[in-house]
């Protein structure tokens, strides 16, 4: 396993501006993630998170720079990189089974129908939708639809899962259960996952690394926060952990104040070597290591 | 509540129908005074006028005649005397053929226009100019080039039904939600498979709406076209019966044109419901 399974190398995105010039959403963005890690990107609305994710997915192209996944520069979309869309994006004329089978048969074109359905069924079971196979998306609740989206992404056994605010449209209770499921499944399968969220607690529960982006336009990746909470953390007990408030305050502080002032106050920020911090109680960062934190 | 609304609506419908028949009956029952009619018109209208009975048939006359037609819809006594069933079959056949050709042309072309912004821009001026032309304006040109009256009628049906289908298909295809296209893209689905598995089902309701508009126009146009080209068909029948001064038959034909038009519309409406998906 390389330490740079995903490597975003100096990408920029510019859009033509009204007055002839161009607006830079972000530029010179470097970011990397090892295999099996869960990364969350947090930043204010409009800073370019979706754009980064879409470039990673291959749905959008950077104006400059490249993205390297598993040693190869990406071009266009790939079955290796599954996307869970914010709006779930299920095909409404297909059933739950039909939606997942569509993905499965797209990946394994030579499989016959029974094999496709059997494979799809295991993922339907995995997300707890057994019994709803023949329902149309319109007959499902928001949470169930998002489960189908997750099952569809998982069913093609991608190398990377990309999620754009997958739970933001759900109520808190459903969101919680789905977070549990995503955490369970990604830990089980060692899935490399990249997720956008606005929910600090969600990031703290799910992510190994949290990428903090400053406000756009001209957004930069300001800091990489390593999650000091133990790997076997549970959502319910998260706030009881000694490092919980240190981590949470650090992120909130960034979002509330530093995200606006960062560019002005940090003139020597090197986008290729973004500082890695590990907020902890009672004192400053220790050497980064995933299992060093104790309960 | 819904049930009772439907029931009450049916009662009102029947009441309106009976009132209409009643008024019609009363209006045509009295003898019109021959004196007030211009002598030329009286001569033209022949016996019906001079005998003092109204020239306009009453509902009972129409009913009796209709019963006669319904008893033997498919008789064929030469070119000017065929059963109504045969005449309708000719018209439906022409509409069906012209419409089918239009479907075969309009849907693939609509896909092309909807999927390719270049073709959309390139073909737009032609469509804008051709679309507003009355289908009957094509008739002389069609007769001159095709040299066959029946085929010309089919061509006219084709040309009038092609536009709503073409425009609706292009619009439906272009308006397919980006996220559904993105799903297909992330699954590396090829263009061809994408067209059939994502774009076609997503655009189907819009396409079917266009097809439904088209069948309505085609049925409107066939009557006029057959009046012009003559020979066979329900349009020709109307014209022929007018020349025979059989207003009864004209009324019956009008009734049947309405009913067939409604049935064609209902069939397409049913197809539309079949492909419509709830979101
Ligand atoms: N097609 C486009 N043309 C011009 N500007 C665009 C276009 N698409 C996006 N942008 C701009 O790019 C910026 C980043 O958009 P993006 O959707 O990536 O933001 P985001 O961080 O995902 O925001 P949110 O949290 O609200 O989803 C926004 O300021 C937006 O206005
Ligand atoms: Mg976004």
């Amino acid at each position: 396993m390389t330490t740079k399974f995903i490597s975003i190398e100096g990408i920029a995105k510019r859009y033509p501006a009204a007055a002839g010039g161009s607006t830079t959403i972000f530029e010179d963005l470097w970011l990397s993630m090892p295999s099996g890690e869960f990364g969350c990107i947090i930043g204010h609305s409009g800073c370019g998170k979706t754009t980064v994710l879409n470039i990673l997915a291959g749905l959008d192209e950077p104006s400059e720079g490249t993205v390297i996944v598993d040693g190869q520069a990406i071009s266009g979309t790939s079955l290796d990189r599954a996307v869970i869309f914010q709006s779930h994006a299920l095909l409404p004329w297909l059933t739950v089974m039909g939606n997942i089978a569509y993905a499965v048969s797209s990946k394994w074109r030579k499989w016959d129908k029974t094999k496709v359905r059997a494979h799809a069924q295991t993922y339907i079971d995995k997300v707890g939708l057994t019994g709803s196979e023949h329902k149309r998306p319109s007959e499902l609740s928001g949470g169930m639809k998002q489960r189908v989206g997750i099952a569809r992404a998982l069913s093609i056994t991608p190398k990377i899962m990309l999620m754009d605010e997958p739970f933001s449209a759900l109520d808190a209770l459903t969101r919680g259960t789905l977070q549990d499921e995503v955490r369970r499944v990604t830990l089980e399968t060692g899935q490399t996952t990249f997720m956008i969220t606005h929910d600090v607690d969600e990031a703290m529960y799910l992510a190994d690394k949290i990428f903090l982006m400053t406000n756009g336009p001209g957004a930069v990746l300001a800091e990489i926060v390593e999650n000091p909470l133990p790997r076997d953390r549970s959502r319910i007990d998260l706030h009881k952990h000694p490092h919980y408030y240190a981590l949470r305050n650090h992120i909130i502080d960034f979002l509330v104040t530093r995200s606006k002032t960062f560019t002005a106050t940090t003139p020597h920020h090197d986008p290729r070597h973004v500082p890695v911090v590990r907020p902890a109680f009672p004192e400053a960062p220790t050497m980064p290591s995933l299992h060093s934190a104790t309960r | 509540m819904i049930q009772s609304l439907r029931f009450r609506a049916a009662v009102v419908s029947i009441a309106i129908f009976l009132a209409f028949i009643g008024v019609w009956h009363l209006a045509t029952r009295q003898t019109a005074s021959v004196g007030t009619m211009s002598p030329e018109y009286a001569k033209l209208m022949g016996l019906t006028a001079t005998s003092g009975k109204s020239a306009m048939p009453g509902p009972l006359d129409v009913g009796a005649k209709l019963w006669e037609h319904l008893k033997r819809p498919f008789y064929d006594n030469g070119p000017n005397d065929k059963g109504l069933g045969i005449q309708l079959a000719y018209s439906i056949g022409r509409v069906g053929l012209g419409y089918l050709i239009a479907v075969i042309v309009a849907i693939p072309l609509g896909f092309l226009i909807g999927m390719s912004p270049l073709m959309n821009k390139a073909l737009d001026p032609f469509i804008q100019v051709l679309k507003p032309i009355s289908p009957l304006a094509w008739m002389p040109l069609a007769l001159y080039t095709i040299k066959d009256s029946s085929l010309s009628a089919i061509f006219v049906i084709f040309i009038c039904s092609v536009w709503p289908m073409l425009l609706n298909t292009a619009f439906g295809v272009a308006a397919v939600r980006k996220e559904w296209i993105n799903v297909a893209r992330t699954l590396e689905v090829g263009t061809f498979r994408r067209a059939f598995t994502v774009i076609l089902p997503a655009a189907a309701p819009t396409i079917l709406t266009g097809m439904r508009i088209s069948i309505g126009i085609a049925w409107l146009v066939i009557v006029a076209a057959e009046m012009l080209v003559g020979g066979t068909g329900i349009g020709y029948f109307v014209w022929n019966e007018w020349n025979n001064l059989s207003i009864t038959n004209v009324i019956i034909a009008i009734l049947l044109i309405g009913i067939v038009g409604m049935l064609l519309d209902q069939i397409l409406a049913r197809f539309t419901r079949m492909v419509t998906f709830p979101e």
Side-chain angles (χ1 to χ4, degrees), chain A residues 28 109 138 154 175-176 202 212 230 263:
Chain A
D28 205 15
R109 311 225 161 146
S138 59
L154 288 171
R175 194 186 308 154
E202 180 170 277
L212 302 179
T263 320

Side-chain angles (χ1 to χ4, degrees), chain A residues 15 25 43-52 165 196 198:
Chain A
Y15 286 110
I25 308 301
H44 281 280
S45 186
C47 69
K49 303 180 297 293
T50 298
T51 312
V52 171
E165 301 185 38
I196 297 174
H198 277 134

Side-chain angles (χ1 to χ4, degrees), chain A residues 32 52 89-90:
Chain A
S32 68
V52 171
L90 301 180

Side-chain angles (χ1 to χ4, degrees), chain B residues 24-106:
Chain B
W24 181 12
H25 180 71
L26 289 178
T28 52
R29 195 190 43 146
Q30 311 115 328
T31 52
S33 117
V34 186
T36 58
M37 203 180 279
S38 92
E40 245 168 273
Y41 188 62
K43 208 157 83 195
L44 183 76
M45 294 306 285
L47 250 182
T48 44
T50 43
S51 70
K53 196 180 177 303
S54 167
M56 192 69 185
L60 295 176
D61 307 322
V62 172
K65 192 82 185 172
L66 182 63
W67 180 238
E68 239 176 76
H69 280 298
L70 288 180
K71 270 194 297 188
R72 38 198 302 262
F74 297 112
Y75 72 89
D76 188 352
N77 298 339
N80 279 341
D81 191 10
K82 294 187 202 308
L84 267 176
I86 294 188
Q87 304 287 28
L88 276 175
Y90 271 111
S91 301
I92 294 173
R94 285 187 191 121
V95 166
L97 198 58
Y99 185 76
L100 189 71
I101 300 171
V103 170
I104 292 169
V105 171

Side-chain angles (χ1 to χ4, degrees), chain A residues 59 77 79 87 102 106 109, chain B residues 179-180 185 188 193 197 278:
Chain A
L59 290 168
T77 56
L79 282 158
S87 53
Y102 183 63
S106 299
R109 311 225 161 146
Chain B
E179 57 188 52
W180 296 336
R185 283 177 64 199
E188 293 189 59
R193 184 157 181 257
T197 56

Side-chain angles (χ1 to χ4, degrees), chain A residues 57-60 77-81 83 85 87 89-93 102-103 105-106 109 138 152 156, chain B residues 176 178-190 193-194 197-199 201-202 275 277-279:
Chain A
L59 290 168
D60 202 349
T77 56
S78 160
L79 282 158
D80 290 339
R81 283 168 272 130
V83 183
F85 298 88
S87 53
L90 301 180
L91 304 178
W93 54 89
Y102 183 63
S105 62
S106 299
R109 311 225 161 146
S138 59
R152 177 172 63 186
I156 57 172
Chain B
V176 173
K178 189 121 189 274
E179 57 188 52
W180 296 336
I181 306 276
N182 280 347
V183 167
R185 283 177 64 199
T186 54
L187 293 173
E188 293 189 59
V189 173
R193 184 157 181 257
R194 191 195 302 176
T197 56
V198 175
I199 298 174
V275 300
F277 47 84
E279 280 196 42

Side-chain angles (χ1 to χ4, degrees), chain A residues 71-146:
Chain A
Q72 273 202 319
I74 64 165
S75 69
T77 56
S78 160
L79 282 158
D80 290 339
R81 283 168 272 130
V83 183
I84 296 178
F85 298 88
Q86 177 174 11
S87 53
H88 59 77
L90 301 180
L91 304 178
W93 54 89
L94 297 178
T95 59
V96 169
M97 173 57 86
N99 268 285
I100 298 170
Y102 183 63
V104 174
S105 62
S106 299
K107 169 127 187 189
W108 295 282
R109 311 225 161 146
K110 297 212 174 68
W111 282 15
D112 62 23
K113 212 175 157 189
T114 37
K115 197 163 181 195
V116 167
R117 293 178 81 89
H119 184 89
Q121 187 67 51
T122 52
Y123 286 89
I124 292 175
D125 299 343
K126 198 178 280 244
V127 297
L129 282 176
T130 321
S132 302
E133 293 85 353
H134 302 293
K135 290 200 176 128
R136 304 270 166 135
S138 59
E139 300 166 292
L140 303 178
S141 69
M144 289 162 92
K145 284 183 206 166
Q146 204 50 277

Side-chain angles (χ1 to χ4, degrees), chain A:
Chain A
M1 306 254 162
T2 57
T3 51
K4 284 189 172 184
F5 184 65
I6 301 175
S7 180
I8 293 177
E9 310 202 335
I11 59 168
K13 186 72 189 179
R14 301 180 215 282
Y15 286 110
S22 70
T23 325
T24 301
I25 308 301
F26 53 78
E27 63 187 341
D28 205 15
L29 185 85
W30 297 73
L31 189 159
S32 68
M33 262 171 66
S35 176
E37 206 170 63
F38 199 122
C40 259
I41 185 162
I42 287 194
H44 281 280
S45 186
C47 69
K49 303 180 297 293
T50 298
T51 312
V52 171
L53 187 118
N54 283 348
I55 289 171
L56 251 174
L59 290 168
D60 202 349
E61 286 195 351
S63 314
E64 284 159 27
T66 47
V67 176
I68 292 173
V69 170
D70 205 7
Q72 273 202 319
I74 64 165
S75 69
T77 56
S78 160
L79 282 158
D80 290 339
R81 283 168 272 130
V83 183
I84 296 178
F85 298 88
Q86 177 174 11
S87 53
H88 59 77
L90 301 180
L91 304 178
W93 54 89
L94 297 178
T95 59
V96 169
M97 173 57 86
N99 268 285
I100 298 170
Y102 183 63
V104 174
S105 62
S106 299
K107 169 127 187 189
W108 295 282
R109 311 225 161 146
K110 297 212 174 68
W111 282 15
D112 62 23
K113 212 175 157 189
T114 37
K115 197 163 181 195
V116 167
R117 293 178 81 89
H119 184 89
Q121 187 67 51
T122 52
Y123 286 89
I124 292 175
D125 299 343
K126 198 178 280 244
V127 297
L129 282 176
T130 321
S132 302
E133 293 85 353
H134 302 293
K135 290 200 176 128
R136 304 270 166 135
S138 59
E139 300 166 292
L140 303 178
S141 69
M144 289 162 92
K145 284 183 206 166
Q146 204 50 277
R147 277 167 208 255
V148 182
I150 295 169
R152 177 172 63 186
L154 288 171
S155 72
I156 57 172
T157 60
K159 288 181 183 165
I160 300 170
M161 279 229 287
L162 302 168
M163 307 199 253
D164 189 351
E165 301 185 38
F167 310 132
S168 61
L170 304 175
D171 65 278
L173 224 58
T174 317
R175 194 186 308 154
T177 6
L178 282 182
Q179 286 165 355
D180 288 343
E181 265 159 48
V182 164
R183 175 135 181 100
R184 179 175 55 79
V185 169
T186 46
L187 282 180
E188 245 172 51
T189 55
Q191 186 78 56
T192 311
T193 311
F194 189 81
M195 178 165 125
I196 297 174
T197 182
H198 277 134
D199 182 339
V200 176
D201 280 300
E202 180 170 277
M204 288 164 56
Y205 175 45
L206 293 175
D208 300 314
K209 271 192 199 136
I210 300 160
F211 303 99
L212 302 179
M213 264 177 99
T214 64
N215 293 0
V220 298
L221 176 59
E223 214 171 82
I224 299 170
V225 178
E226 284 201 354
N227 194 338
L229 304 181
R231 205 170 168 86
D232 62 349
R233 57 190 176 259
S234 79
R235 183 168 52 87
I236 312 294
D237 297 329
L238 210 60
H239 62 283
K240 294 185 185 152
H241 196 276
H243 296 325
Y244 174 85
Y245 285 103
L247 176 61
R248 192 164 203 280
N249 291 343
H250 185 86
I251 299 174
I252 301 266
D253 178 49
F254 177 84
L255 287 177
V256 173
T257 52
R258 287 175 55 220
S259 61
K260 288 186 221 63
T261 56
F262 183 85
T263 320
T265 54
T266 323
H268 301 298
H269 181 64
D270 177 3
R272 293 194 66 159
H273 299 101
V274 177
V276 179
V277 297
R278 189 181 176 86
F281 179 82
E283 60 209 281
T286 50
M287 274 307 288
S289 155
L290 270 176
H291 302 282
S292 65
T294 49
R295 262 180 180 278

